[in-house]
């Protein structure tokens, strides 16, 4: 493969992944509004396009065209930088997520992952920890006490749950013996669903911790204190309007998709089929190309639906309950899980 | 290719460091320090130390600097005034920097067994071995005792911080 071909295929991968991610974010919003609508016994958006399918596009256009208000007292450079940090940390994430097996493209080119690196999982954790800056700086630079309080609330929540999130993944890493996401998936894929980390790998405690921490990391209900609409002023993005607000909004929904991808890769067997080798492998190139993407998308979609379901049914935690839950319950449980997994692996 | 990346990120690193010194607003200095640390991580990556690079981002850029920015935000530190300072500071400072650099450079160049690193190559001779494996072997086999002692030291520091924070809180409630 020549250099030119390599550059062409890489650019194509980046472009496709980014566009799919952005469309995914837009339609996750619609999915949430529709499902929450059904849970609350109403229709959800239904006017624009068939079944309201064009609603996200119209919303996007609205955000672009709205007047962009910048309050006079803000600290301008950082005020403008903060939404960019948030959104870019979200969008870079997709670069290390593998959607399918390697060597499927022409010339054994890695078609299903933008960059296959041997510390993929750590890159994901690094991006999560950098994402805090967007929230913290947005609240501080707005020069508004509600924004500052909101951003302190969110950043302390993010930092607290980051620990539980990171530690919950250690069990999976111990089992796979690698930080490469492809290796982790391959290690789960031998017998289909029976060897997924959540079932056969006996990592269901880790999955539970990951799930809770992921809800908190993405500021979603029941941990959505950063912007508890019904009780508090909106939080760190109070002073943001039009597209800058939309960037925070997109970052939030993008993070939902991201944690869904990580859950799929680490606990639900990634792109592999839940049936393992029960059915004979088909010879069709088309099916071999699209089956991994199909399974991956189905799993992420199921995770997103779970998110919306929880949002529609569970009440919000109080702030002290949130902190107690994170530090006194999830963190010790995660450490116990690591100890248990290591003992199990040592005796095996 | 590697050389271009090196020059770009070394430039970022130096620019961030100079900006850190010149800015008067503490939050700008803190942000410049983040730029310095992330570009350092890229330099580590170019030298083939991928674990060190990502640890630099998670620990320093992600955790330590978040605490820095938090402190700056919570204290609401304003713009610092530029003082002329002691007249002796400037000549002594510059000479000290030059002397230190010279000492480091001679030591690094003279010591046997330290070879110049090559950009874009692995740290070890085995190209496909992750340096995570090597690092953990060194840490948990050869240097196990110092490693564990360090972690106990950090634990003591945490306990000390908690104890200090508690004592102040207890006094305050006693006054009431």
């Amino acid at each position: 493969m020549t250099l030119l071909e390599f550059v062409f295929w890489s650019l194509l991968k980046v472009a496709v992944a980014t566009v799919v991610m952005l469309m995914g974010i837009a339609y996750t919003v619609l999915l949430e509004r529709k499902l929450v609508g059904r849970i609350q016994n109403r229709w959800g958006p239904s006017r624009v396009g068939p079944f309201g399918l064009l609603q996200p596009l119209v919303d996007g256009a609205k955000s672009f065209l709205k007047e962009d208000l910048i309050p006079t007292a803000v600290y301008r450079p950082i005020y403008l930088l903060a939404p960019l940090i948030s959104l870019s940390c979200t969008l870079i994430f997709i670069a290390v997520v593998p959607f399918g097996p390697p060597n499927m493209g022409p010339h054994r080119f890695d078609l299903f992952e933008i960059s296959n690196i041997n510390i993929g999982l750590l890159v994901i954790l690094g991006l999560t920890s950098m994402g805090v800056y967007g929230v913290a700086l947005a609240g501080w630079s707005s020069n508004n006490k509600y924004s500052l309080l909101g951003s302190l609330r969110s950043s302390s929540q993010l930092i607290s749950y980051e620990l539980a999130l990171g530690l919950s993944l250690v069990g999976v890493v111990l089992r796979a013996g690698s930080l490469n996401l492809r290796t982790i998936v391959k290690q789960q894929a031998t017998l289909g669903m029976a060897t997924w980390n959540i079932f056969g790998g006996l990592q269901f405690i880790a999955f539970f911790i990951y799930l809770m921490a992921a809800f908190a990391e993405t500021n979603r209900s029941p941990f959505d204190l950063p912007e508890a609409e019904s009780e508090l002023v909106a939080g760190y993005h109070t002073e943001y309007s039009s597209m800058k607000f939309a960037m925070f909004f997109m970052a939030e929904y993008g993070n939902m998709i991201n944690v869904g991808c990580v859950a799929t890769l680490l606990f639900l067997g990634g792109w592999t089929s839940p049936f393992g080798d029960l059915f004979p492998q088909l010879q069709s190139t088309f099916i071999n190309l699209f089956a991994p993407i199909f399974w991956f998308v189905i799993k992420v979609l199921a995770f997103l639906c779970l998110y919306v379901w929880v949002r529609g049914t569970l009440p919000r935690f109080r702030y002290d309950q949130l902190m107690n839950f994170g530090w006194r319950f999830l963190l010790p449980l995660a450490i116990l899980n690591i100890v248990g997994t290591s003992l199990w692996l040592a005796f095996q | 290719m590697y050389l271009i990346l090196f020059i770009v990120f070394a430039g970022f690193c130096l620019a961030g460091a100079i900006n850190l010194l010149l800015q008067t607003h503490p939050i700008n200095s803190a942000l410049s320090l983040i730029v310095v640390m992330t570009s350092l991580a890229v330099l580590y990556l170019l030298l083939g130390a991928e674990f060190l690079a990502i640890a630099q981002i998670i620990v320093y850029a992600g955790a330590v600097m978040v605490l820095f920015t938090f402190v700056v935000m919570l204290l609401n530190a304003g713009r610092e005034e530029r003082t002329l300072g002691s007249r002796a500071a400037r000549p002594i400072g510059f000479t000290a920097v030059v002397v230190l650099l010279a000492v480091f450079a001679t030591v690094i160049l003279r010591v046997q067994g330290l070879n110049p690193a090559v950009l874009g190559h692995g740290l070890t001779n085995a190209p496909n071995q992750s340096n995570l494996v090597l690092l953990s072997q060194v840490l948990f086999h050869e240097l196990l005792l110092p490693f564990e002692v360090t972690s106990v030291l950090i634990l003591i520091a945490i306990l000390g911080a908690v104890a200090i924070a508690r004592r102040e809180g207890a006094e305050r409630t006693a006054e009431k």
Side-chain angles (χ1 to χ4, degrees):
Chain A
M1 179 177 277
T2 62
L3 183 70
L4 203 65
E5 275 178 328
F6 177 77
V7 170
F8 168 74
W9 280 104
S10 303
L11 282 179
L12 192 72
K13 275 197 300 191
V14 172
V16 168
T18 314
V19 169
V20 168
M21 185 71 184
L22 289 173
M23 291 309 282
I25 291 172
Y27 278 91
T28 312
V29 180
L30 184 71
L31 176 85
E32 175 172 35
R33 292 179 64 183
K34 279 294 215 188
L35 274 182
V36 168
R38 284 312 182 112
I39 289 169
Q40 295 165 350
N41 213 357
R42 55 188 175 84
W43 283 104
S46 61
R47 300 295 172 91
V48 192
F51 309 106
L53 275 179
L54 297 179
Q55 184 74 39
L57 306 180
V58 182
D59 280 346
K62 181 192 75 175
S63 301
F64 262 115
L65 297 177
K66 265 192 164 177
E67 187 186 354
D68 190 13
L69 291 169
I70 300 181
T72 30
V74 299
Y75 187 59
R76 244 183 121 94
I78 297 179
Y79 177 84
L80 298 178
L81 193 68
L84 280 176
I85 297 178
S86 266
L87 188 61
S88 46
C89 280
T90 308
L91 290 181
I92 293 172
F93 206 96
I94 208 74
V96 292
V97 173
F99 304 103
N103 306 332
M104 291 289 279
H107 309 287
R108 308 191 70 72
F109 183 68
D110 196 348
L111 198 61
F112 286 132
E113 186 177 14
I114 292 176
S115 62
N116 182 14
I117 44 184
N118 56 4
I119 44 164
L121 191 59
L122 287 180
V123 171
I124 285 174
L125 290 177
L127 282 173
T128 336
S129 64
M130 292 298 278
V132 182
Y133 285 114
V135 173
L137 293 176
W140 181 80
S141 66
S142 295
N143 212 352
N144 171 342
K145 51 183 174 265
Y146 296 112
S147 292
L148 183 62
L149 287 174
S151 93
L152 289 178
R153 216 162 51 224
S154 332
S155 353
S156 48
Q157 173 178 337
L158 290 179
I159 293 170
S160 308
Y161 277 79
E162 219 172 77
L163 292 171
L165 187 87
L167 288 179
S168 73
L169 305 181
V170 173
V172 174
V173 175
L174 281 174
R175 285 201 74 228
S178 167
L179 290 166
N180 186 327
L181 291 166
R182 278 231 161 91
T183 322
I184 294 176
V185 170
K186 228 177 272 166
Q187 180 259 343
Q188 304 174 53
T190 41
L191 287 174
M193 217 186 229
T195 41
W196 286 1
N197 270 331
I198 176 174
F199 301 120
L202 298 175
Q203 291 294 322
F204 37 80
I205 301 175
F207 183 68
F208 168 75
I209 300 167
Y210 176 77
L211 202 62
M212 294 296 122
F215 277 117
E217 275 292 311
T218 47
N219 296 338
R220 298 287 305 174
S221 176
F223 305 109
D224 59 343
L225 285 143
E227 46 146 340
E229 295 105 332
S230 46
E231 290 145 30
L232 302 163
V233 179
Y236 60 90
H237 43 49
T238 312
E239 293 289 359
Y240 283 86
S241 54
S242 111
M243 204 52 211
K244 293 202 201 65
F245 171 75
M247 280 161 93
F248 280 121
F249 197 68
M250 282 159 73
E252 182 182 329
Y253 281 82
N255 280 333
M256 270 169 73
I257 298 181
N258 289 342
V259 292
C261 288
V262 176
T264 308
L265 290 169
L266 296 186
F267 296 101
L268 304 177
W271 63 84
T272 55
S273 133
F275 308 112
D277 295 328
L278 210 61
F279 300 114
Q281 181 125 25
L282 293 164
Q283 287 306 311
S284 151
T285 327
F286 182 78
I287 291 180
N288 283 340
L289 266 181
F290 282 92
I293 294 188
F294 171 76
W295 288 119
F296 195 89
V297 171
I298 286 286
K299 286 167 186 172
V300 174
L301 203 61
F303 199 83
L304 291 177
C305 288
L306 175 73
Y307 251 71
V308 177
W309 184 20
V310 168
R311 188 203 158 165
T313 44
L314 285 184
R316 191 174 293 134
F317 275 69
R318 232 175 35 226
Y319 195 70
D320 58 323
Q321 288 172 333
L322 171 93
M323 283 297 160
N324 272 340
F325 185 68
W327 286 101
R328 295 207 180 141
F329 180 68
L330 282 188
L331 196 63
L333 195 66
I335 292 173
L336 280 183
N337 178 60
I338 294 174
V339 173
T341 314
S342 332
L343 286 178
W344 169 252
L345 286 173
F347 281 122
Q348 244 181 1
Chain B
M1 177 75 183
Y2 291 115
L3 192 66
I4 295 171
L5 282 176
F6 176 79
I7 290 171
V8 167
F9 281 96
F12 268 136
C13 196
L14 285 178
I18 292 169
N19 195 35
L20 162 75
L21 294 175
L22 292 182
Q23 287 288 341
T24 47
H25 206 295
I27 201 111
N28 286 348
S29 299
L31 289 181
S32 324
L33 194 51
I34 299 170
V35 172
V36 173
M37 284 171 171
T38 16
S39 21
L40 265 185
V42 178
L43 297 187
Y44 290 150
L45 205 60
L46 284 175
L47 291 172
E50 76 266 5
F51 180 71
L52 194 62
I54 203 73
Q56 167 92 4
I57 285 188
I58 293 178
V59 177
Y60 285 99
V64 175
M65 286 315 296
V66 165
L67 292 181
F68 266 52
T69 24
F70 252 63
V71 170
V72 172
M73 279 160 58
L74 281 177
L75 295 179
N76 211 3
R79 224 166 253 281
E80 283 173 7
E81 279 185 28
R82 199 178 286 279
T83 55
L84 287 172
S86 158
R87 227 172 262 166
R90 213 161 272 201
I92 292 178
F94 277 114
T95 16
V97 167
V98 170
V99 168
L100 267 181
L101 270 181
V103 169
F104 280 141
T106 19
V107 168
I108 290 171
L109 289 177
R110 282 291 168 81
V111 168
Q112 296 289 318
L114 285 180
N115 302 318
V118 187
L119 288 179
H121 279 253
L123 276 185
T124 50
N125 292 326
N128 284 324
Q129 197 168 21
S130 160
N131 57 38
L132 187 62
V133 177
L134 296 171
L135 194 69
S136 47
Q137 264 163 6
V138 171
L139 272 187
F140 291 102
H141 284 273
E142 293 162 32
L143 300 175
L144 183 62
L145 187 69
F147 182 72
E148 295 298 333
V149 169
T150 318
S151 60
V152 172
L153 205 65
I154 293 172
L155 191 67
I156 292 172
I158 294 173
L159 289 179
V162 170
I164 292 172
R166 274 183 79 100
R167 199 184 301 146
E168 279 181 5
E171 275 169 13
R172 214 171 290 152
T173 42
E175 279 169 20
K176 278 176 192 167

